[in-house]
Amino acid sequence: MTMTTTISPVAKADNGVNVSALLSARQALEQAPQAAQFKWRASCAWLNGTHSRSVIGNFFGLGAEQSRNKTFTVEADHPQVFASEDNAPTPVELVLSGLASCLTAGVAAVAQRRGIQLHSVKATLEADMDIQGILGMDDEVRNGFGAIRIHFDIQANATEDEIKALVAQSQKRSAVFDIITNPTSVFVTVN
Amino acid sequence: MKFATTVIIGAGQSGLAMSRHLTDRSIDHVVLERGEVANSWRTERWDSLRLLTPNWQSRLPGYAYQGDDPDGFMSMPEVVRFLQRYAEVSNAPVETGTLVTRVWPLDAGYAVSTNQGAWRCRALVIASGACNIAATPSLSAGLPHEVASLTPMQYRNPDLLPEGGVMIVGASASGIQLAREIRASGRRVVLSVGEHVRMPRTYRGRDIQWWMDAIGAMDVRYDAIEDIERARHLPSPQLVGTAERETIDLNSLRKAGVEFMGRLVGLNDGKAHFSGSLANFCALADLKMNRLLASIDEWVSSSGLADRFPAPQRYQPTVVDPQTKLSLDLNDGIGTFIWATGYRADYSWLDVPVLDRKGRIRHDGGVISAPGMYVMGLPFMRRRKSSFIDGAGDDAADLAAHLSLGLTRAAA
Ligand SMILES: Cc1cc2nc3c(=O)[nH]c(=O)nc-3n(C[C@H](O)[C@H](O)[C@H](O)COP(=O)(O)OP(=O)(O)OC[C@H]3O[C@@H](n4cnc5c(N)ncnc54)[C@H](O)[C@@H]3O)c2cc1C
């Protein structure tokens, strides 16, 4: 009997993503799909004016409550042109940041899986908004973004098409990209 | 109860190829078919459909296309004649008009009940097809009653459609072929585009199917590829079989006046809502097509054949209108929805615990864990070509060998 050893593509690159752990998680979840049900949470308290602070801590997943050994805080406010104090980014900017971070994490993970060493990844985002919507001036204008444009500047050991494919695959598997491009039901209760 | 060593369910190319191999091995068997031979090709396809695989690629064990147009594409009556003739020359023991209503395990084998009496067998081959039911997304329930709802299995031709524009959901082979034909009849056509597979009809002077065959892509085995789950659920390629060898893609449909939307994600209050992911799905499809073309180019150069074929070329990237709308008012002239959202198999008659949680058969290259039970014709079942006419032969050869060995072992 002969043995052949093949170098796994995962070993060729190190982007700091533990892809084999992700792959074994996928395998394990195939046996126990109910463990794939996650719940993400945040709480938000009003500070003053348009300034608020969200606290992010525990989440639910893999069939159990997952506690972190710390909590994170994220503040939001509005800029001075909206007569606010500009203590923190606006919520819509945080949405852009969420999208960028999700896609960037995806690029790193896909690159790792494909054995592509990343040197640098930079995403630049711009979103259009007609504020006649949020000001209630025109019912035909939506509140949210008209469009989002993202530019990725990526240096990596790969061809141009391979890099484009990383970004495309990252969009295909991105939670925030999905949240933004597809509708989601929102249910709000009070007190 | 009648007895056959092996019962094959279904007389399409899969069942007939298996029958041929069992005959060659002198294993007595019967092929139970609810309709006539090639029933799916006779009754479940639209009028204008031609194969998207060229005539020369209709190859079955001991039988192949013999006509004078090897590069042409068969019409449905031609496919039916081709398979009917195969059943005849193979002397396939087909019992037509025999609907299998239940299969359940016995001590050593299976019981098969039908509308024509029951059978007992030691081995069972499920060749009942991968495309028995047109799969429609659950959101289709939100379609207003005034709008007609059809699947490609019910669609026949543009003249039979109700008045008005047509929304086609899905841009795989079925969806783009229907979009092309219905648009050509003068109707407004809106196509909802999710994941799709783009391919030119011809490349470097040959049919794309010729290339995929030549570079060995169609013979790639299920156990040799990394993500088989994904490969098995890939949409069918955007190809159409026409005499002009026309390439059909979103760019050509756009020129013809078809309108595009992203993936359909909601239907309510008389409105359809679409995903903002259209640009990415088009980018994915362009990149994937270019990888296929690059692997063809590599094969040509490494085989030293570069001077035998025209030079490599690349195609215009898919044009995506930045103004693409995200919703459509259905009162705005849409009379029909066609759900070209894929097909699935029907195993409602199968009373053996071999299905996964999504109702799909669990198998290892067509070998089912229940002893003596096999399946044929599923996407990428043993090879990339498994669900094609051209794939039935090699799969049947492998599975017939396995089946035969199992019978011998059981007898020993
Ligand atoms: C629109 C369309 C176009 C396609 N074009 C091509 C192409 O161009 N080239 C290509 O190679 N492939 C093509 N295919 C893929 C494939 O070749 C076909 O799906 C083909 O019909 C599959 O053959 P099969 O023998 O596996 O199954 P089928 O042809 O579906 O045969 C299954 C048989 O089983 C019978 N059956 C089912 N259930 C029962 C039951 N309970 N009892 C008794 N009998 C039963 C059916 O009546 C049928 O005759 C196409 C598929 C579709 C849907």
Side-chain angles (χ1 to χ4, degrees):
Chain A
M1 193 175 138
T2 54
M3 292 271 289
T4 47
T5 38
T6 46
I7 301 168
S8 96
V10 178
K12 279 195 307 193
D14 182 7
N15 299 322
V17 183
N18 190 344
V19 166
S20 30
L22 293 178
L23 289 179
S24 32
R26 179 175 147 175
Q27 248 166 14
L29 289 177
E30 235 134 69
Q31 306 310 314
Q34 65 290 352
Q37 304 307 315
F38 273 61
K39 292 189 195 304
W40 299 105
R41 304 183 181 116
S43 66
C44 180
W46 173 61
L47 296 175
N48 183 45
T50 53
H51 189 195
S52 65
R53 181 180 296 136
S54 295
V55 178
I56 294 165
N58 294 0
F59 61 92
F60 179 89
L62 304 178
E65 206 53 48
Q66 303 285 337
S67 62
R68 287 167 157 145
N69 48 20
K70 57 185 167 196
T71 54
F72 302 99
T73 58
V74 181
E75 294 190 7
D77 198 356
H78 283 144
Q80 283 164 4
V81 293
F82 290 103
S84 288
E85 291 185 357
D86 214 7
N87 289 302
T90 65
V92 296
E93 290 164 326
L94 293 175
V95 169
L96 287 185
S97 144
L99 176 60
S101 298
C102 194
L103 293 178
T104 303
V107 165
V110 179
Q112 185 71 55
R113 178 130 164 73
R114 295 185 180 174
I116 294 174
Q117 180 65 52
L118 296 175
H119 304 309
S120 69
V121 180
K122 189 170 177 207
T124 318
L125 291 83
E126 184 178 66
D128 304 332
M129 184 189 284
D130 180 345
I131 68 162
Q132 294 186 82
I134 54 175
L135 293 177
M137 293 164 61
D138 186 345
D139 273 352
E140 308 264 285
V141 176
R142 69 184 282 186
N143 300 340
F145 298 143
I148 301 174
R149 287 172 300 280
I150 310 174
H151 178 74
F152 268 97
D153 192 354
I154 297 178
Q155 303 300 318
N157 279 354
T159 64
E160 191 187 327
D161 269 8
E162 283 167 346
I163 292 174
K164 283 186 179 158
L166 290 181
V167 176
Q169 183 64 18
S170 159
Q171 289 168 76
K172 193 175 163 199
R173 287 282 157 255
S174 162
V176 181
F177 183 88
D178 174 78
I179 288 166
I180 290 179
T181 54
N182 298 318
T184 307
S185 299
V186 179
F187 304 96
V188 180
T189 53
V190 181
N191 277 1
Chain B
M1 233 188 231
K2 287 174 272 190
F3 175 82
T5 300
T6 301
V7 164
I8 300 174
I9 304 174
Q13 74 247 10
S14 295
L16 295 175
M18 179 56 99
S19 167
R20 177 73 173 232
H21 274 284
L22 295 184
T23 298
D24 289 351
R25 289 173 176 275
S26 305
I27 296 173
D28 83 285
H29 65 280
V30 63
V31 183
L32 305 180
E33 167 56 54
R34 61 181 168 187
E36 298 287 318
V37 167
N39 185 58
S40 303
W41 299 106
R42 283 175 205 267
T43 63
E44 296 175 351
R45 313 279 192 256
W46 55 95
D47 296 348
S48 69
L49 179 65
R50 285 179 176 271
L51 291 186
L52 51 75
T53 44
N55 290 334
W56 59 262
Q57 209 169 24
S58 290
R59 300 178 283 208
L60 288 164
Y63 185 71
Y65 175 82
Q66 297 290 344
D68 53 10
D69 185 17
D71 294 320
F73 302 96
M74 284 184 212
S75 66
M76 289 306 103
E78 287 166 340
V79 180
V80 169
R81 268 199 301 280
F82 176 81
L83 289 176
Q84 181 70 52
R85 181 99 191 93
Y86 184 47
E88 286 159 17
V89 300
S90 307
N91 272 319
V94 182
E95 303 265 329
T96 56
T98 305
L99 173 72
V100 172
T101 50
R102 184 171 170 235
V103 168
W104 71 99
L106 297 175
D107 272 348
Y110 299 94
V112 179
S113 59
T114 80
N115 62 346
Q116 306 287 337
W119 288 81
R120 201 164 50 79
C121 61
R122 289 173 56 204
L124 183 93
V125 179
I126 300 172
S128 50
C131 304
N132 308 118
I133 301 173
T136 53
S138 52
L139 60 81
S140 62
L143 194 68
H145 296 299
E146 315 81 78
V147 181
S149 179
L150 285 181
T151 70
M153 292 173 88
Q154 298 159 329
Y155 169 83
R156 286 296 171 266
N157 61 60
D159 293 342
L160 295 179
L161 291 175
E163 286 279 293
V166 181
M167 170 88 224
I168 298 174
V169 185
S172 299
S174 299
I176 51 126
Q177 291 186 24
L178 299 195
R180 172 180 171 275
E181 141 166 326
I182 296 169
R183 178 64 199 150
S185 77
R187 303 247 191 171
R188 176 181 183 204
V189 173
V190 185
L191 183 63
S192 161
V193 180
E195 184 175 17
H196 58 276
V197 177
R198 182 182 177 195
M199 264 179 211
R201 179 74 263 179
T202 54
Y203 182 64
R204 298 186 74 174
R206 297 287 183 140
D207 194 274
I208 195 71
Q209 296 286 350
W210 185 88
W211 284 115
M212 289 201 291
D213 187 59
I215 69 176
M218 299 311 285
D219 294 313
V220 171
R221 280 177 57 100
Y222 74 111
D223 45 11
I225 84 157
E226 207 181 348
D227 195 346
I228 186 65
E229 266 305 292
R230 163 141 180 75
R232 283 181 174 155
H233 295 102
L234 219 56
S236 58
Q238 292 178 327
L239 289 173
V240 61
T242 63
E244 303 73 32
R245 318 198 73 73
E246 182 185 328
T247 287
I248 177 170
D249 57 22
L250 299 186
N251 287 345
S252 75
L253 290 176
R254 176 181 297 281
K255 278 197 199 100
V258 172
E259 299 160 48
F260 299 102
M261 297 285 186
R263 220 169 78 88
L264 180 71
V265 289
L267 268 178
N268 43 49
D269 302 332
K271 277 194 161 183
H273 301 275
F274 304 91
S275 175
S277 59
L278 177 62
N280 190 49
F281 278 126
C282 294
L284 281 161
D286 288 352
L287 287 161
K288 192 178 177 65
M289 172 177 71
N290 287 340
R291 286 197 294 275
L292 172 65
L293 302 182
S295 59
I296 292 172
D297 295 339
E298 260 160 49
W299 182 86
V300 171
S301 336
S302 65
S303 319
L305 299 171
D307 52 348
R308 293 246 320 260
F309 301 100
Q313 105 183 72
R314 291 295 176 267
Y315 301 91
Q316 185 199 16
T318 305
V319 176
V320 181
D321 181 354
Q323 305 299 325
T324 302
K325 291 202 183 60
L326 297 171
S327 67
L328 183 75
D329 195 341
L330 301 179
N331 300 319
D332 199 13
I334 297 293
T336 309
F337 260 56
I338 302 181
W339 302 96
T341 34
Y343 304 87
R344 60 190 170 83
D346 174 15
Y347 300 122
S348 55
W349 44 268
L350 183 58
D351 203 355
V352 186
V354 293
L355 302 185
D356 68 13
R357 65 192 163 94
K358 296 207 146 173
R360 299 176 301 215
I361 282 194
R362 277 183 272 120
H363 67 89
D364 179 9
V367 181
I368 299 175
S369 57
M373 192 182 274
Y374 300 86
V375 63
M376 293 267 307
L378 303 182
F380 222 134
M381 188 186 78
R382 285 186 80 79
R383 301 173 169 84
R384 183 167 280 122
K385 64 183 177 185
S386 285
S387 56
F388 292 88
I389 295 171
D390 195 31
D394 283 354
D395 284 5
D398 292 354
L399 296 180
H402 192 286
L403 186 155
S404 164
L405 197 65
L407 293 175
T408 325
R409 286 215 181 112

